[in-house]
Amino acid sequence: MYTKKALHAESIKTASGWGYTISHKDKVIIKQTIIPVISDAKSFNSEDDALKVAGLVIKKLYQNRSPSVTKNDLILLKIKM
């Protein structure tokens, strides 16, 4: 179980856009450089989009749920695909 504020998201610049990392106690546990669940291997269009998805993943981890992201999650967050 993760305690509050134990997880930290940061945006990262990629060659074609944005991605994110999620760290726990300064150790990167998730590095996502492409938009998950879509067929194209492309980065997020904006830093804001990357951080919105990172926030959702952290929320799922705090709820002891799978951190996987669905296409519906991306639609609900209004992520440009």
Side-chain angles (χ1 to χ4, degrees), residues 5-69:
K5 298 184 183 172
L7 297 176
H8 176 73
E10 279 187 46
S11 60
I12 52 174
K13 189 77 176 109
T14 67
S16 60
W18 292 91
Y20 65 85
T21 60
I22 296 176
S23 303
H24 179 256
K25 296 182 180 175
D26 296 326
K27 181 179 180 198
V28 173
I29 57 171
I30 296 173
K31 181 178 181 183
Q32 188 71 46
T33 57
I34 59 170
I35 302 173
V37 308
I38 65 169
S39 54
D40 297 334
K42 67 179 199 173
S43 295
F44 293 94
N45 289 331
S46 70
E47 181 178 21
D48 188 51
D49 281 357
L51 290 174
K52 279 196 267 186
V53 175
L56 174 67
V57 171
I58 287 175
K59 182 179 170 185
K60 287 182 174 192
L61 288 169
Y62 281 137
Q63 294 171 346
N64 285 327
R65 294 171 45 213
S66 167
S68 59
V69 176

